[in-house]
Amino acid sequence: MVQKAKILLVDDRPENLLALEAILSALDQTLVRASSGEEALKALLTDDFAVILLDVQMPGMDGFETAAHIKRRERTRDIPIIFLTAINHGPHHTFRGYAAGAVDYISKPFDPWVLRAKVSVFVELHMKNVQLREQAALLRRELEGGVSPADTERGPGGLLPELSARLAAVEEQAEALSKELAESGGSAAVSTAAHLERKLSGLRRALDALEPGSGDTGQADESP
């Protein structure tokens, strides 16, 4: 069973949160409310989110300050942020949003179809990223010695080709995802996919080093 992605909705007005939930409910993901920047930061301490929809105009800690805190934390700095604002102060205001780390900046009232489409891109990226990380972690455990007695009896000649084939399937998915995002995704999405491909390259080098006759007995350049 595939676990649903979590989407964080941050707005100090309950009616705005209700409207966002109505728009995004069709995505069939888990929607988490936060009525302030402080509440959003608290939610981010324990849960992983595919994307954050963040209102700019909030009392106390506004959207820009909240985004700055999110980007300073190693755990959350790569989560895409879409800023939502009811006030358009011109190009400078928009630039400040992107400078704060936003992947998009949308003025209210916005087109529900457009917002849903933008969010769905990051939800899909998050789901594929999670899937690839899980498969990569499984391969790494097996490479680091998590081999069953049955695998030991088969010997390296049987185990390594199987691991190589499974890694090839993951590499193929990652390549397809990168091509898709290069055409339709933002720079943050493309960067995330590229980072995942680098991790997979590290796994491939480690696996190749285990092949019989390989002269490379050292460690891979980049540990996954």
Side-chain angles (χ1 to χ4, degrees):
M1 182 177 179
V2 179
Q3 186 175 3
K4 294 183 178 182
K6 291 183 178 179
I7 302 170
L8 183 58
L9 313 177
V10 189
D11 199 303
D12 63 299
R13 299 174 67 89
E15 61 270 26
N16 290 343
L17 291 172
L18 188 62
L20 288 174
E21 288 176 336
I23 293 170
L24 300 176
S25 60
L27 298 179
D28 193 27
Q29 304 301 324
T30 302
L31 306 177
V32 178
R33 284 188 176 201
S35 58
S36 66
E38 292 86 354
E39 191 175 332
L41 294 176
K42 183 177 180 180
L44 287 162
L45 288 174
T46 54
D47 290 327
D48 293 323
F49 291 92
V51 61
I52 303 169
L53 273 64
L54 181 57
D55 183 41
V56 173
Q57 304 294 128
M58 294 188 296
M61 184 185 297
D62 66 12
F64 296 130
E65 187 178 354
T66 302
H69 283 288
I70 292 172
K71 293 303 177 181
R72 278 199 293 265
R73 294 178 179 177
E74 183 177 357
R75 172 187 170 89
T76 59
R77 63 187 178 191
D78 293 327
I79 301 176
I81 298 174
I82 298 177
F83 272 131
L84 304 176
T85 178
I87 303 175
N88 188 355
H89 292 290
H92 177 73
H93 200 252
T94 303
F95 175 78
R96 187 182 175 192
Y98 287 118
V103 297
D104 213 335
Y105 194 98
I106 303 177
S107 297
K108 304 174 186 176
F110 44 77
D111 187 330
W113 294 93
V114 172
L115 179 63
R116 189 158 50 235
K118 289 177 180 292
V119 171
S120 67
V121 169
F122 291 104
V123 167
E124 181 181 4
L125 173 61
H126 174 78
M127 300 293 280
K128 288 183 177 180
N129 205 353
V130 168
Q131 180 185 12
L132 292 175
R133 282 204 310 265
E134 289 175 349
Q135 294 182 36
L138 176 60
L139 286 169
R140 186 173 69 174
R141 286 196 299 270
E142 293 179 344
L143 288 172
E144 290 176 347
V147 183
S148 67
D151 290 330
T152 303
E153 291 177 4
R154 279 164 35 207
L159 177 60
L160 290 179
E162 178 183 338
L163 290 177
S164 182
R166 290 167 63 180
L167 179 56
V170 177
E171 290 170 331
E172 184 177 350
Q173 293 182 52
E175 183 180 358
L177 177 61
S178 294
K179 289 181 179 179
E180 178 183 341
L181 291 173
E183 297 175 355
S184 61
S187 59
V190 173
S191 176
T192 300
H195 177 72
L196 182 60
E197 283 195 318
R198 288 195 297 272
K199 293 295 185 181
L200 290 176
S201 295
L203 275 173
R204 172 57 68 186
R205 289 193 295 271
L207 184 58
D208 289 345
L210 295 177
E211 290 287 348
S214 172
D216 182 7
T217 57
Q219 297 293 323
D221 294 336
E222 180 180 356
S223 176

